[in-house]
């Protein structure tokens, strides 16, 4: 009789240990080419991670927690003493500096029929596949400033900052945590380069860039020279035409002007 219970219990314990040894993973470069960005980090959703903890007839959700990296991990708990998940918001923990905050509530990924990664090559299906397979932390730019927003806020992350993430499985009926992963390895957002640190010395540029720059400079010079030449000739032509017209008018006036009579002619009359 005891053997009937030992096998399922052993399998459940093995799966629990396996699930709790898993960590959220950053998305593969093949799926998210620009990752991390300055304010976002794309993670893989927990496919086939919590299957052993799901009971038939019950509904579950997956919560994603985020926090800034801390070597001590003192405030890394995501549940209270009764295993109820914390509802800490981004604002309450100062963006993850004081502890973890709930960044997202997800449906439990369907391990039986995961998205087909081969469909990413199909332009019509690529966007839908990525939404099913990945979740981008920091993708909501408006929830912090929307007074009517009632959902879980997932605001932009800080640039040049290291974060950790954790998935937990929550029983919706009881409102308690059923399973969890470990905290992820540290993942750092990109840093914004200051303009003063950008190297503009030509010696640092490739030969192709120098050639292209030189050609563009010559073309711009020729264009400006042609423009100035056309303006110059246009002005000269207008001046010549004005001079010619003035001379013509002067000659015409001289021809039609009456010749004055001599004094001897007046006397004879």
């Amino acid at each position: 009789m005891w053997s009937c219970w030992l096998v399922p219990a052993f399998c459940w314990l093995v799966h629990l240990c396996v699930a709790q040894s898993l960590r959220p993973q950053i998305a593969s470069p093949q799926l998210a080419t620009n990752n991390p960005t300055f304010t976002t980090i794309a993670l893989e959703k927990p496919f086939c991670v919590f299957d052993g903890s799901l009971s038939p007839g019950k509904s579950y959700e997956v919560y994603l927690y985020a926090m800034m990296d801390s070597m001590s991990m003192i405030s890394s708990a995501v549940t209270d003493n009764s295993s109820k998940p914390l509802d800490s918001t981004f604002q309450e923990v100062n963006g993850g500096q004081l502890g973890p905050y709930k960044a997202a509530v997800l449906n439990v990924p369907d391990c039986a029929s995961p998205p087909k990664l081969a469909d990413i090559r199909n332009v019509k299906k690529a966007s839908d596949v990525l939404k099913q397979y990945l979740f981008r932390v920091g993708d909501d730019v408006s929830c912090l400033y929307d007074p009517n927003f009632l959902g879980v806020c997932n605001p932009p992350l800080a640039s040049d900052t290291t974060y950790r993430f954790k998935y937990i499985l929550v029983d919706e009926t009881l409102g308690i945590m059923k399973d969890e992963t470990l905290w992820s390895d540290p993942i750092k957002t990109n840093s914004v380069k200051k303009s003063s640190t950008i190297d503009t010395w030509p010696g640092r540029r490739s030969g192709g860039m120098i050639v292209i720059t030189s050609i563009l400079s010559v073309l711009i010079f020729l264009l400006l020279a042609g423009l100035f030449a056309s303006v110059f000739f246009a002005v000269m032509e207008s001046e010549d035409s004005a001079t010619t017209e003035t001379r013509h008018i002067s000659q015409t006036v001289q021809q039609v002007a009456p010749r004055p009579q001599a004094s001897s002619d007046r006397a004879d009359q």
Side-chain angles (χ1 to χ4, degrees), residues 10 19 45 59 69 78 94 100 144 174 186 209 222 235 259:
F10 176 77
K45 291 183 178 180
S59 57
D69 184 34
V78 296
N94 197 18
L144 284 178
L174 301 177
M209 293 179 64
L222 294 176
V235 171
R259 187 177 62 179

Side-chain angles (χ1 to χ4, degrees), residues 29-266:
Q30 285 75 20
L31 301 179
T33 54
N34 186 23
N35 185 43
T37 66
F38 300 125
T39 57
T40 66
I41 296 175
L43 302 175
E44 295 180 359
K45 291 183 178 180
F47 277 91
C48 305
V49 173
F50 299 122
D51 282 8
S53 301
L54 303 176
S55 300
K58 289 191 175 183
S59 57
Y60 298 89
E61 290 179 327
V62 174
Y63 291 1
L64 172 62
Y65 285 88
M67 64 179 253
M68 291 186 182
D69 184 34
S70 173
M71 296 303 295
S72 60
M73 303 289 286
I74 296 175
S75 304
S76 60
V78 296
T79 61
D80 58 18
N81 295 332
S82 58
S83 296
K84 290 188 176 182
L86 300 178
D87 288 326
S88 302
T89 65
F90 183 89
Q91 299 95 321
E92 291 173 345
V93 296
N94 197 18
Q97 296 185 43
L98 306 179
Y101 66 92
K102 188 162 61 173
V105 177
L106 310 172
N107 295 324
V108 180
D110 187 359
C111 184
S113 57
K116 298 179 181 179
L117 297 183
D119 289 340
I120 293 180
R121 300 176 182 178
N122 188 326
V123 177
K124 296 181 179 180
K125 297 181 179 180
S127 177
D128 185 58
V129 170
L130 292 178
K131 287 181 180 179
Q132 293 181 56
Y133 192 72
L134 304 178
F135 180 79
R136 188 172 291 275
V137 187
D139 202 31
D140 193 340
V141 298
S142 61
C143 62
L144 284 178
Y145 312 104
D146 185 357
N148 300 319
F149 186 83
L150 301 177
V152 178
C153 190
N154 177 34
L157 304 175
S159 62
D160 195 23
T161 305
T162 304
Y163 290 86
R164 289 179 183 266
F165 306 95
K166 175 195 280 284
Y167 286 119
I168 71 170
L169 180 68
V170 178
D171 185 326
E172 288 188 77
T173 304
L174 301 177
I176 61 174
M177 182 183 72
K178 293 286 293 183
D179 202 350
E180 64 179 340
T181 66
L182 296 175
W183 283 99
S184 70
D185 293 327
I187 306 175
K188 190 175 184 180
T189 54
N190 288 341
S191 58
V192 180
K193 286 188 176 181
K194 297 181 180 179
S195 58
S196 59
T197 63
I198 299 176
D199 186 10
T200 57
W201 176 248
R204 302 291 185 183
R205 299 294 180 259
S206 65
M209 293 179 64
I210 295 176
V211 171
I212 293 174
T213 303
S214 301
I215 293 174
L216 291 176
S217 300
V218 173
L219 291 176
I220 292 175
F221 173 79
L222 294 176
L223 179 63
L224 292 176
L227 178 63
F228 287 136
S230 62
V231 172
F232 175 79
F233 286 119
V235 171
M236 292 298 295
E237 284 183 2
S238 63
E239 289 181 356
D240 290 340
S241 61
T243 303
T244 303
E245 184 177 356
T246 302
R247 290 177 180 176
H248 178 73
I249 294 174
S250 176
Q251 292 176 357
T252 303
V253 171
Q254 291 178 358
Q255 291 175 358
V256 301
R259 187 177 62 179
Q261 293 181 351
S263 58
S264 57
D265 295 338
R266 294 178 180 177

